[in-house]
Amino acid sequence: MDPDTVKSTLSNLAFGNVMAAAARNYQKEVLANEKAQGSNPVNEEVDLDELMDDPELERLHADRIAALKREVEKREAFKRQGHGEYREVSEGDFLGEVTRSEKVICHFYHKEFYRCKIMDKHLKTLAPRHVDTKFIKVDAENAPFFVTKLAIKTLPCVVLFSKGIAMDRLVGFQDLGTKDDFTTNKLENVLVKKGMLSKKKKEEDEEDAEYQESIRRSVRSSENLDSDSD
């Protein structure tokens, strides 16, 4: 199969997955409405083939694609500001980093402290999940001015900035159960409650993961069909 044919096949499979999912959702909604109105939906079925040709579903698909495009553009803009990864910054760059982004999570650490390494691991995992928040770390030994200004006494110390202002902080593991074995999800939930991470974004990521898995299954199915045809 030539590359153009493969590309067209995969595109059609992706479209089909979105349309089929929308059709199933629509079918559930119709049956739920009938039940709420006291009608008898037993043995009633919605023709999925007809729904696939429904212009309303096609509009929903187009809206979804447009929303995904806007999200990609937004993510790229954030990445140009240093979002999407967990980075170390110097004391000289610190002020610019925390004032150029609306939400910044900054870990003041010591390279020899075991608990700082634990915090590093979790923040590194969260950074690519929440691109709308910037994740950085600063070596406390090499940033005495800001350590003093921010009154940092205990490490690890995660300072939470909103529009350049230090609004809150996590001192040690006090908000995380005080033990070393807390999960990334636990830290994520704490940061969601403190307004630094988006709960909606977390849910959207889970939905997107399901959608991407659906696409991967379609690709594997296409590859198997190509193999059989050979």
Side-chain angles (χ1 to χ4, degrees):
M1 185 179 289
D2 64 85
D4 290 338
T5 302
V6 172
K7 183 176 181 181
S8 176
T9 299
L10 296 183
S11 177
N12 289 336
L13 285 170
F15 177 81
N17 284 333
V18 174
M19 294 294 286
R24 287 193 296 272
N25 290 337
Y26 183 65
Q27 181 182 25
K28 292 177 182 178
E29 183 178 342
V30 169
L31 294 177
N33 288 337
E34 289 176 343
K35 185 175 181 180
Q37 295 169 4
S39 61
N40 182 16
V42 178
N43 295 328
E44 292 184 12
E45 295 183 356
V46 177
D47 191 329
L48 294 183
D49 290 333
E50 290 184 5
L51 288 176
M52 294 290 282
D53 296 327
D54 191 326
E56 179 65 14
L57 285 179
E58 291 184 4
R59 184 188 66 78
L60 291 173
H61 172 67
D63 289 345
R64 173 62 173 162
I65 294 300
L68 287 174
K69 182 178 179 181
R70 289 193 298 271
E71 180 65 20
V72 168
E73 292 172 348
K74 185 178 179 180
R75 289 173 66 89
E76 289 303 316
F78 276 131
K79 286 181 178 181
R80 287 194 292 271
Q81 297 177 26
H83 294 226
E85 59 181 336
Y86 182 48
R87 300 177 294 112
E88 179 157 3
V89 301
S90 67
E91 184 174 56
D93 293 334
F94 172 77
L95 197 58
E97 291 283 357
V98 300
T99 56
R100 282 197 297 265
S101 296
E102 182 174 350
K103 294 186 291 185
V104 180
I105 294 174
C106 180
H107 174 206
F108 283 85
Y109 77 100
H110 190 290
K111 59 186 176 183
E112 300 297 333
F113 289 6
Y114 176 68
R115 282 195 161 188
C116 290
K117 295 177 181 178
I118 294 175
M119 184 63 73
D120 271 342
K121 178 187 71 174
H122 294 300
L123 292 176
K124 185 176 181 179
T125 299
L126 291 176
R129 290 186 193 174
H130 297 273
V131 182
D132 51 340
T133 298
K134 181 184 288 185
F135 289 75
I136 59 176
K137 64 178 181 176
V138 175
D139 187 336
E141 280 192 311
N142 296 326
F145 177 80
F146 288 109
V147 167
T148 301
K149 283 291 185 182
L150 294 169
I152 294 172
K153 305 294 185 183
T154 302
L155 299 178
C157 183
V158 179
V159 184
L160 312 178
F161 292 88
S162 177
K163 298 180 180 179
I165 300 173
M167 304 297 293
D168 204 346
R169 64 183 62 195
L170 304 181
V171 179
F173 294 168
Q174 292 177 8
D175 293 276
L176 302 164
T178 71
K179 295 183 179 180
D180 295 354
D181 60 351
F182 67 90
T183 63
T184 301
N185 190 57
K186 172 69 173 179
L187 175 59
E188 185 176 31
N189 288 334
V190 169
L191 293 172
V192 166
K193 290 178 181 178
K194 290 182 177 292
M196 295 305 297
L197 302 180
S198 170
K199 182 178 180 180
K200 181 179 178 182
K201 183 67 175 60
K202 181 180 177 181
E203 294 170 349
E204 287 175 349
D205 285 343
E206 292 172 352
E207 292 176 358
D208 286 342
E210 294 177 0
Y211 174 71
Q212 292 300 328
E213 177 58 28
S214 175
I215 297 298
R216 284 192 288 271
R217 285 196 297 268
S218 296
V219 171
R220 288 194 293 270
S221 176
S222 175
E223 291 173 345
N224 290 337
L225 288 173
D226 291 342
S227 177
D228 292 341
S229 64
D230 291 341

